[in-house]
Amino acid sequence: MLQSLGQRPVTGSDEDPRVAELRTAVSRLRRELAALPSEFPDRAIAEDELATLAAMASGGSPEIPRLRSSLLLIAGAIGSVSALARGLGEVRQAVDLFGEPTQRG
C-alpha cells in the first residue's frame, strides 16, 4: 500500500535517518506554506529553497554547506510569518542533525 502512494516502508531501510527527518520536515513546511492564504514579498524565495532542500533530501546525501545556505534563505524569507514558525523550526532541527560543515583548507 505504501509503495502505491510513492512511499517506501521504513522498516529494514538503509536510509540515513537524518535524510528522512529532513524530507519530512521540508514536506511539512512546504504544505504549510502552500496552505497559507496570504502573500508576502519573499514567498517565491522560500518556495524555491524548500524545493532545493526537498531535492537534496531525495538524493540521499545532501551537501551540508548548501543545506545551511538554503535554511538561511528560507528563514530570511519567512521568518516574520508566525504561522510558519513551528515548521521552520523543524526544518532547522533537521538541518542541524547533519552537524557543522567541515572546514577546508
Side-chain angles (χ1 to χ4, degrees), residues 33 38-52 73-74 77-78:
L33 180 58
S38 63
E39 289 296 320
F40 50 93
D42 294 330
R43 184 179 189 132
I45 293 170
E47 290 170 343
D48 288 348
E49 290 303 319
L50 283 167
T52 297
L73 288 169
I74 294 165
I78 66 173

Side-chain angles (χ1 to χ4, degrees), residues 25-92:
V26 168
S27 177
R28 185 176 298 124
L29 184 55
R30 288 179 90 181
R31 284 192 310 271
E32 291 173 4
L33 180 58
L36 194 67
S38 63
E39 289 296 320
F40 50 93
D42 294 330
R43 184 179 189 132
I45 293 170
E47 290 170 343
D48 288 348
E49 290 303 319
L50 283 167
T52 297
L53 285 179
M56 283 191 281
S58 69
S61 183
E63 298 174 31
I64 296 170
R66 184 66 179 110
L67 284 176
R68 295 202 175 278
S69 175
S70 287
L71 177 62
L72 287 173
L73 288 169
I74 294 165
I78 66 173
S80 64
V81 181
S82 61
L84 300 174
R86 180 174 172 223
L88 178 60
E90 290 174 1
V91 170
R92 180 182 172 265

Side-chain angles (χ1 to χ4, degrees), residues 8 10 13-27 53-54 56-64 67-68 90-102:
R8 295 181 300 168
V10 176
S13 172
D14 60 351
E15 180 182 42
D16 185 335
R18 300 173 304 171
V19 173
E21 183 71 24
L22 178 63
R23 186 172 35 254
T24 299
V26 168
S27 177
L53 285 179
M56 283 191 281
S58 69
S61 183
E63 298 174 31
I64 296 170
L67 284 176
R68 295 202 175 278
E90 290 174 1
V91 170
R92 180 182 172 265
Q93 288 175 342
V95 168
D96 284 348
L97 292 174
F98 289 89
E100 295 296 319
T102 56

